[in-house]
Amino acid sequence: MASATSNRTLEDMIVVEPGVEPGASAETMLVTTESSFEEFEHEVSNNLDKAKLSNETASSAVSHNIEIQQDQIPRESSEAKASFTDLDKSTSVEGSDMYELSQQFEQNNLDVDPLRNKVWLAQKKHIFVLSQAGKPIYSRYSSEDKLVTVMGVMQALVSFVQANNDMIRSVHADDTNFVFIVRGPLILVCVSKTLESVPQLVLQLSYVYNQILSVLTQSQLTRVYEQRRNFDLRRLLTGSERLIDHLLNFMDKEPAFFLGAVKCLPLLPSMRDAITQTIVQTCGKIKNLVFAILLANNQLITLVRMKKFYIHPADLHLILNLVDSSESFKTAESWTPICLPKFDSNGFMHGHVSYLAEDCQACLLLLTVDRDVFFTLSEAKQKIVEKLRRTNCLEAINESMNKTSITTTEIGLPEMRHVLYKCKSTAQFWSPGFQVPYNTDEQVQRLLGCYQCLHHRLHSPSRPLKLIFQQLDQETMLAWVTSGFELYVTFEPLVTKTDAINSITKLLKWIKKEEERLFILNSPTF
């Protein structure tokens, strides 16, 4: 790993030509924030406000995690911790396969305690949601009803620390992180054996909370628990568990979440403009239409907004999750209420959701505050499809959707294996396709984990960095943040600094040349 001195030397060697920052634009339809750091800071300040700490106590809580040693944990909590940490190392199953095995176990062993299930215990990251009264609401890999005792311990830990005018944020035991956030009447807990940092896990828990709000709204959630503290929230979330399940799997494999950005479907600028103008001309006179969003392959094709209104990437991520997890949208037009927590956490929008056509699987969402315009929006959608078909835009969308993502080797950078590039001013990012050696799910997960570690070091609340050059056993990695962009690059393990610098220069020039195809550089409005 390079020292700070060599980092400064390397930074001096990298020269970015004025105006070369790819994807930069004065116009944007997205709220541009550093999501992970923003959520982390919000959680810290929110917890401190609720605990009503003194200035001295608040200063201590901001600067240090609450470290609870094993001998300080009550007996029940110690047993629960041991169940998470003393895993059978021979059990190694990942992702969706692990989830399916866990579900199969549930079906065949209805009376077996999950804490005695090796498959369940071997999961690298558990997510739990419970009420402040200790009522189970959600567990990622098992029925909440079987985890009442474990969730009771979690609630007891939160209450115990609150009783001393403080808020528990994280517990570290061996290679396991226990991360807590308290949002309104809910407690959310992550038990993780991954390399993700506390701010990154806080961000993921915040997404889970926002996913719940997208179904209920903040005001309804608050009102329910004000009226009945022991209310079983699962009654209102029935059927929505799949959204949370899918969201968690989505976050494990998608860098958009920790980057706080969205990826655009590559299109010729003329085609993207034609699609956008078709939507503007067709929907421009429909009252109370706030957003028109066209998506494909979890990527943004275009977004048209009402003037003065913007959408946060976190809300767009929830929309992507809704579309990607709902097969029913492919068979019929849907009229779906959805709360966008960053836009308005206390109210629903109404979404006309439909795929363009059987021969073009791009999804169009028309979001409005008017609950009585389904047929108006349905008619508008049909007009949009007819115009897009006449101008060959559907064909262009299909071609881009079906085309294999370009790799860094095809760009002419053989020493560069992969890259993440984020433009700050537009909250959009670009990445090439994965190539050898990242041609398996396991290797892709490992690579994304390396990116997350670099991202945390660049944005560390206590000691943020600008540039990292890190030589590992299997690859050499570089992470660089400037005023205009963030860059994460993976090289061959023996690449020299000079070759790395030359590659980055070529890469930035290539992205700049292709920026109108890779990014949305304007912000169209109705």
Side-chain angles (χ1 to χ4, degrees):
M1 185 187 302
S3 66
T5 302
S6 59
N7 275 350
R8 287 195 295 270
T9 302
L10 182 61
E11 187 173 16
D12 292 338
M13 294 169 67
I14 303 176
V15 178
V16 181
E17 298 176 11
V20 80
E21 296 176 350
S25 174
E27 297 183 56
T28 181
M29 64 273 176
L30 301 174
V31 178
T32 54
T33 56
E34 298 291 348
S35 294
S36 58
F37 184 72
E38 177 196 56
E39 292 286 354
F40 186 66
E41 288 295 290
H42 168 81
E43 189 57 40
V44 171
S45 61
N46 187 46
N47 285 347
L48 294 178
D49 288 343
K50 287 186 176 182
K52 297 181 179 179
L53 303 180
S54 66
N55 291 336
E56 179 180 351
T57 306
S59 174
S60 174
V62 171
S63 59
H64 301 286
N65 284 340
I66 298 173
E67 302 275 356
I68 299 182
Q69 303 300 323
Q70 185 171 346
D71 59 357
Q72 294 177 294
I73 301 177
R75 183 174 180 273
E76 295 83 359
S77 179
S78 181
E79 291 175 353
K81 178 190 73 62
S83 298
F84 285 117
T85 56
D86 299 337
L87 306 182
D88 185 339
K89 301 299 182 183
S90 65
T91 306
S92 179
V93 190
E94 298 292 338
S96 59
D97 293 335
M98 180 78 86
Y99 179 69
E100 290 174 7
L101 284 174
S102 182
Q103 292 300 302
Q104 183 178 354
F105 180 89
E106 287 294 326
Q107 295 172 5
N108 297 332
N109 301 273
L110 297 178
D111 298 323
V112 177
D113 184 352
L115 295 177
R116 301 180 185 277
N117 175 4
K118 290 183 179 180
V119 174
W120 188 85
L121 291 171
Q123 300 285 4
K124 290 186 176 180
K125 184 163 57 182
H126 288 266
I127 302 292
F128 306 95
V129 183
L130 56 148
S131 71
Q132 290 220 41
K135 201 83 170 180
I137 295 172
Y138 173 83
S139 170
R140 184 178 188 182
Y141 292 118
S142 179
S143 169
E144 320 69 56
D145 288 329
K146 298 179 184 178
L147 297 167
V148 173
T149 302
V150 172
M151 293 197 188
V153 172
M154 295 173 181
Q155 189 272 339
L157 283 171
V158 172
S159 298
F160 176 79
V161 177
Q162 282 180 334
N164 290 280
N165 292 326
D166 211 332
M167 292 295 292
I168 187 169
R169 193 172 76 204
S170 62
V171 179
H172 308 277
D174 297 327
D175 60 347
T176 304
N177 282 332
F178 298 74
V179 177
F180 298 75
I181 70 170
V182 178
R183 289 285 176 90
L186 303 186
I187 298 170
L188 298 94
V189 184
C190 176
V191 181
S192 172
K193 295 176 70 69
T194 69
L195 296 177
E196 293 162 304
S197 66
V198 170
Q200 288 167 345
L201 295 174
V202 165
L203 177 69
Q204 293 175 26
L205 290 176
S206 298
Y207 266 102
V208 173
Y209 178 71
N210 285 343
Q211 184 67 74
I212 292 173
L213 292 190
S214 75
V215 178
L216 299 179
T217 76
Q218 176 73 68
S219 56
Q220 183 179 3
L221 180 65
T222 302
R223 185 168 60 252
V224 161
Y225 281 104
E226 284 178 347
Q227 295 174 352
R228 187 177 172 187
R229 187 170 180 270
N230 289 318
F231 183 78
D232 187 349
L233 196 66
R234 291 175 297 178
R235 291 165 53 186
L236 297 180
L237 293 176
T238 301
S240 301
E241 300 89 343
R242 64 176 178 80
L243 292 175
I244 304 176
D245 291 339
H246 189 276
L247 177 68
L248 292 169
N249 292 332
F250 202 6
M251 285 192 286
D252 283 343
K253 62 184 181 182
E254 178 53 67
F257 291 89
F258 69 82
L259 288 176
V262 298
K263 189 175 183 181
C264 298
L265 186 75
L267 280 174
L268 290 173
S270 58
M271 281 297 173
R272 199 185 305 274
D273 289 343
I275 294 168
T276 301
Q277 288 307 309
T278 296
I279 294 174
V280 171
Q281 292 167 8
T282 306
C283 301
K285 294 184 180 180
I286 299 177
K287 291 183 178 180
N288 299 323
L289 183 61
V290 184
F291 298 113
I293 305 169
L294 187 59
L295 308 169
N297 291 350
N298 291 321
Q299 298 171 86
L300 183 63
I301 297 175
T302 191
L303 190 158
V304 185
R305 61 184 179 84
M306 184 184 288
K307 291 179 181 178
K308 298 182 181 180
F309 291 102
Y310 298 86
I311 192 167
H312 196 285
D315 284 341
L316 199 50
H317 293 156
L318 293 182
I319 291 172
L320 286 166
N321 184 62
L322 173 67
V323 171
D324 196 48
S325 63
S326 305
E327 288 292 318
S328 60
F329 292 149
K330 294 182 179 180
T331 58
E333 296 177 300
S334 299
W335 189 237
T336 304
I338 180 172
C339 170
L340 301 179
K342 295 285 188 180
F343 182 76
D344 179 8
S345 63
N346 291 315
F348 281 114
M349 300 187 78
H350 301 274
H352 180 278
V353 187
S354 63
Y355 282 75
L356 292 183
E358 289 186 6
D359 60 340
C360 185
Q361 292 294 288
C363 187
L364 177 66
L365 297 95
L366 303 174
L367 302 179
T368 178
V369 293
D370 191 339
R371 67 178 65 188
D372 300 318
V373 293
F374 172 83
F375 294 106
T376 301
L377 296 181
S378 178
E379 183 180 348
K381 181 256 183 175
Q382 295 303 325
K383 291 180 180 178
I384 289 171
V385 173
E386 291 170 6
K387 292 180 181 178
L388 294 181
R389 194 179 295 281
R390 287 198 304 268
T391 54
N392 296 321
C393 290
L394 296 187
E395 184 179 340
I397 293 172
N398 280 335
E399 182 179 350
S400 182
M401 289 176 65
N402 297 326
K403 188 176 182 179
T404 304
S405 298
I406 193 170
T407 64
T408 50
T409 299
E410 293 169 332
I411 293 172
L413 300 168
E415 66 282 353
M416 187 180 290
R417 292 177 172 178
H418 195 260
V419 60
L420 295 178
Y421 172 88
K422 174 189 172 181
C423 177
K424 289 185 172 183
S425 66
T426 57
Q428 298 171 36
F429 80 100
W430 173 81
S431 62
F434 292 106
Q435 58 186 353
V436 176
Y438 311 112
N439 53 344
T440 67
D441 290 342
E442 183 179 359
Q443 285 295 328
V444 170
Q445 285 295 103
R446 187 181 67 80
L447 177 63
L448 292 179
C450 291
Y451 284 144
Q452 285 180 302
C453 289
L454 292 172
H455 181 273
H456 171 64
R457 294 181 64 195
L458 288 183
H459 298 280
S460 172
S462 58
R463 191 189 174 194
L465 301 175
K466 288 186 177 181
L467 183 67
I468 301 169
F469 186 80
Q470 189 174 37
Q471 292 181 303
L472 306 173
D473 291 339
Q474 300 184 50
E475 54 264 311
T476 292
M477 306 195 77
L478 184 145
W480 184 26
V481 59
T482 73
S483 60
F485 64 82
E486 291 181 27
L487 186 64
Y488 305 84
V489 187
T490 305
F491 295 99
E492 297 284 344
L494 300 180
V495 70
T496 65
K497 290 182 180 179
T498 300
D499 288 342
I501 293 165
N502 291 336
S503 293
I504 289 174
T505 302
K506 292 178 184 177
L507 174 70
L508 292 175
K509 288 181 178 179
W510 182 87
I511 301 176
K512 181 65 177 180
K513 178 183 176 182
E514 300 289 330
E515 65 178 355
E516 291 186 342
R517 190 173 63 87
L518 302 177
F519 301 98
I520 299 175
L521 301 181
N522 53 20
S523 183
T525 59
F526 295 117

